């Protein structure tokens, strides 16, 4: 199984892998030795789909040498382009939408008998993959999907069409899965949802769920992604403030700064509301890392409106940002707008935005110099085998000499420098997983 796109897909692939293992299938260590190859796909941008088309071209060649090999496409692109795939890629055996995974073992067995192609892209109002436990690859962080789908219908986004309506899992089942992950040695839990903080199950909303997960003994760090600004309330911020093991960082997608564009995007907030929300976050959660997503070149965006995005960034100075050129997605409302922006203009705007964000990241990171921060050691630094890389509670990467620390340790690190997007420090104290206070 190959996974493309967002963390929801990573979590879904782990879920499918867990289910397949339970049904007697085993993972192959190479694609050439595999009886079946599944691509878990993304449809959020045209580029993501192009990548899959080219990967399918290579798999087709592999299949010509091994005609029995099964090729499956699952996830958002399968849901979005099902007819196109069926017509243009007859060598694809399975096309499965995000709500069809429970049936994969059964469908594979049926395919073995009939060899007929299988298309299953029915979206469900209820499927939350209750009581299916994932086969996790990563050692530190366990992704736990708490809700699926989205009801927001931002005009640029294909997700409500590929993933269907919002539905949430019961608190007890999420707590049980988190407890199980802790029992297996995971120290960090990331709660996932397309719109994670519009979680609601019976009377429980997102703050209640966060509170329940934070009380599980042994959960050292809790993160969540991706929230919608409309659903951030003070209750959520107070729960983060009141639990030391909920990380002091919030991802808050701005998308655009000008009110007219926000309205055209159907983002449900205006610039002033977003600004006051970030102020409230910083008042209630001092030192909170705030990251964002921004799209440049949305249809009709004028130069002045783009400048408003830069002005909002200047006011907030996000700790980090994921920045994108608008990519038209057939089937969405924005794709029908007649005033699309040229690629050249989008490129220029993106470069400006990246430069500004780079300044702000450095500005925020320099404020950490001199502080001693608690870091979870996650991996070896890419640049040096004598250094570790780990994240702070407010989601900043820190590079530091290994000393006696090991992966999984929580260490106190004094920050001595900030360069690029990273902090650099020296270990003051190694505390073997001892810093979480529940
Ligand atoms: S909130 Fe908007 S951008 Fe996020 S998944 Fe829903 S429709 Fe897409």
């Amino acid at each position: 199984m190959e996974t493309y796109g967002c963390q929801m897909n990573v979590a879904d692939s782990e879920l499918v892998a867990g289910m397949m293992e339970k049904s007697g299938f085993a993972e192959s260590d190479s694609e050439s030795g595999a009886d079946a190859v599944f691509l878990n796909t993304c449809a959020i941008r045209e580029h993501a789909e192009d990548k899959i088309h080219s990967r399918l071209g290579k798999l087709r060649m592999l299949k010509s040498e091994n005609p029995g090999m099964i090729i499956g496409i699952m996830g958002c692109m399968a849901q979005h382009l099902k007819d196109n795939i069926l017509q243009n890629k007859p060598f694809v055996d399975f096309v499965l939408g995000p709500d069809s995974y429970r049936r994969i073992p059964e469908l594979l067995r049926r395919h073995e008998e009939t060899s007929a192609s299988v298309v299953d892209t029915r979206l469900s109002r209820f499927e939350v993959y209750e009581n299916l436990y994932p086969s996790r690859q990563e050692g530190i962080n366990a992704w736990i999907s708490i809700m699926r789908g989205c009801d927001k219908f931002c005009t640029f986004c294909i997700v409500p069409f590929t993933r269907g309506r919002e539905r949430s899992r019961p608190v007890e089942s999420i707590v049980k899965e988190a407890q199980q992950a802790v029992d297996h040695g995971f120290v960090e839990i990331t709660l996932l949802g397309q719109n994670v903080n519009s979680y609601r199950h019976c009377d429980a909303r997102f703050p209640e769920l966060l509170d329940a997960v934070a009380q599980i003994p042994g959960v050292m760090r809790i993160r969540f992604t991706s929230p919608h600004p409309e659903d951030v309330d003070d209750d959520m911020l107070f729960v983060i403030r009141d639990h030391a093991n909920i990380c002091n960082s919030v991802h808050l997608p701005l998308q655009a700064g000008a009110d007219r564009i926000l309205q055209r995007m159907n983002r449900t907030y205006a610039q002033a509301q977003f600004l006051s929300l970030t102020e409230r976050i910083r008042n209630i959660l001092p030192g909170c890392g705030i990251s964002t997503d921004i799209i440049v070149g949305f249809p009709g965006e004028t130069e002045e409106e783009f400048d408003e995005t830069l002005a909002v960034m200047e006011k907030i100075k996000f700790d980090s940002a994921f920045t994108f050129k608008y990519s038209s997605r057939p089937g969405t409302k924005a794709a029908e707008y007649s005033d699309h922006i040229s690629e050249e203009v989008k490129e220029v705007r993106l470069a400006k935005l990246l430069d500004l964000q780079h300044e702000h990241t450095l500005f925020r990171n320099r404020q950490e110099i001199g502080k001693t921060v608690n870091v979870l050691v996650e991996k070896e630094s890419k640049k040096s085998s004598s250094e570790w890389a780990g994240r702070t509670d407010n989601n900043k990467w820190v590079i530091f000499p290994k000393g006696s620390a090991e992966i999984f340790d929580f260490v106190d690190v004094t920050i001595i420098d900030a360069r690029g997007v990273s902090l650099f420090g020296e270990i003051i104290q190694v505390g073997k997983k001892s810093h979480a206070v529940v």
Side-chain angles (χ1 to χ4, degrees):
M1 186 142 46
E2 294 177 7
T3 308
Y4 299 80
C6 68
Q7 301 311 337
M8 282 298 283
N9 271 7
V10 175
D12 280 354
S13 289
E14 292 179 345
L15 199 78
V16 172
M19 203 170 54
M20 303 279 278
E21 279 169 19
K22 215 169 155 198
S23 307
F25 294 88
E27 198 178 339
S28 166
D29 51 13
S30 75
E31 63 188 29
S32 53
D35 297 314
V37 177
F38 280 88
L39 309 183
N40 192 0
T41 61
C42 170
I44 201 89
R45 273 173 282 283
E46 199 180 345
H47 178 65
E49 289 185 350
D50 291 345
K51 244 161 106 176
I52 301 295
H53 286 303
S54 110
R55 184 72 186 111
L56 282 172
K58 292 199 180 111
L59 288 175
R60 181 190 195 168
M61 274 152 46
L62 207 61
K63 190 167 174 151
S64 64
E65 290 157 21
N66 174 13
M69 189 174 95
I70 292 166
I71 298 178
I73 305 190
M74 50 196 255
C76 289
M77 182 178 160
Q79 188 72 35
H80 184 214
L81 294 184
K82 51 184 178 273
D83 297 332
N84 175 298
I85 293 167
L86 285 177
Q87 277 166 17
N88 299 323
K89 301 203 163 36
F91 57 93
V92 172
D93 303 281
F94 281 73
V95 179
L96 302 170
D99 289 344
S100 307
Y101 302 154
R102 208 181 268 278
R103 292 187 283 275
I104 293 181
E106 174 207 325
L107 293 171
L108 268 168
R109 296 218 157 90
R110 210 192 300 162
H111 178 82
E112 213 172 21
E113 286 158 22
T114 65
S115 293
S117 301
V118 177
V119 180
D120 190 341
T121 53
R122 272 169 297 169
L123 286 174
S124 159
R125 283 195 159 268
F126 308 103
E127 181 61 274
V128 286
Y129 295 111
E130 190 60 8
N131 300 324
L132 288 181
Y133 290 98
S135 166
R136 296 198 163 89
Q137 302 297 323
E138 237 192 275
I140 286 186
N141 176 69
W143 306 105
I144 298 187
S145 154
I146 64 163
M147 57 84 68
R148 301 178 75 85
C150 181
D151 290 348
K152 290 282 195 278
F153 286 92
C154 300
T155 56
F156 54 81
C157 184
I158 196 72
V159 165
F161 304 100
T162 59
R163 292 223 167 223
R165 299 287 63 75
E166 284 180 11
R167 57 229 118 105
S168 299
R169 289 171 63 184
V171 173
E172 308 75 54
S173 125
I174 296 164
V175 167
K176 193 171 159 198
E177 189 180 332
Q179 181 66 68
Q180 198 188 45
V182 171
D183 294 345
H184 284 114
F186 289 89
V187 289
E188 184 176 276
I189 301 288
T190 302
L191 304 177
L192 284 179
Q194 254 83 41
N195 217 333
V196 74
N197 57 335
S198 64
Y199 172 89
R200 178 175 275 276
H201 192 271
C202 299
D203 288 338
R205 299 168 311 130
F206 188 62
E208 285 83 50
L209 174 72
L210 258 187
D211 186 58
V213 175
Q215 293 187 49
I216 299 171
V219 177
M220 314 293 276
R221 278 190 167 180
I222 299 164
R223 301 187 188 274
F224 56 89
T225 197
S226 186
H228 190 289
E230 186 191 340
D231 298 314
V232 175
D233 61 8
D234 286 355
D235 288 347
M236 177 186 124
L237 302 176
F238 291 145
V239 173
I240 298 174
R241 182 195 63 189
D242 293 343
H243 290 279
N245 59 352
I246 304 180
C247 289
N248 198 21
S249 78
V250 176
H251 183 68
L252 203 66
L254 167 67
Q255 306 301 9
D259 283 345
R260 190 185 73 95
I261 297 297
L262 286 170
Q263 213 170 17
R264 270 195 133 196
M265 286 177 162
N266 192 30
R267 284 299 287 175
T268 72
Y269 51 83
Q271 181 192 121
Q273 284 165 299
F274 193 92
L275 286 170
S276 83
L277 178 57
T278 52
E279 242 173 73
R280 233 166 61 230
I281 293 174
R282 288 197 165 124
N283 283 338
I284 297 175
L285 303 171
C288 182
I290 304 182
S291 55
T292 196
D293 297 327
I294 301 176
I295 295 171
V296 298
F298 185 77
E301 183 188 62
T302 63
E303 213 49 48
E304 292 71 31
E305 285 166 335
F306 171 65
D307 286 345
E308 280 198 64
T309 300
L310 299 180
V312 173
M313 290 172 70
E314 198 62 80
K315 283 187 186 143
I316 296 171
K317 292 192 171 60
F318 293 106
D319 293 79
S320 61
F322 298 93
T323 53
F324 309 96
K325 288 185 287 178
Y326 168 76
S327 171
S328 179
R329 305 286 55 223
T332 60
K333 193 167 173 201
E336 291 164 18
Y337 293 155
S338 56
D339 42 5
H340 283 258
I341 306 289
S342 72
E343 279 305 302
E344 294 72 37
V345 170
K346 285 187 212 169
E347 291 280 0
V348 173
R349 290 182 186 172
L350 185 65
K352 270 194 200 171
L353 198 133
L354 283 168
D355 281 349
L356 187 63
Q357 183 51 48
H358 189 71
E359 272 177 35
H360 294 163
T361 299
L362 215 50
F363 169 83
R364 290 277 168 212
N365 282 356
R366 283 192 179 133
Q367 292 180 329
E368 304 289 311
I369 295 176
K371 288 184 190 166
T372 297
V373 293
N374 196 236
V375 176
L376 170 58
V377 183
E378 297 190 34
K379 57 187 180 186
E380 195 166 85
S381 154
K382 277 186 202 146
K383 295 212 172 121
S384 161
S385 60
S386 63
E387 291 176 320
W388 289 130
R391 274 182 303 164
T392 62
D393 179 65
N394 62 359
N395 211 18
K396 293 174 186 292
W397 282 98
V398 187
I399 314 292
F400 48 94
K402 284 182 175 173
S404 62
E406 290 164 23
I407 290 181
F408 277 95
D409 282 344
F410 281 89
V411 294
D412 286 335
V413 175
T414 297
I415 303 302
I416 52 175
D417 200 4
R419 277 177 276 133
V421 291
S422 304
L423 297 170
F424 295 83
E426 277 167 3
I427 296 180
I428 297 298
Q429 192 184 336
V430 180
K432 303 269 177 194
K433 300 182 196 167
S434 61
H435 280 77
V437 182
V438 180

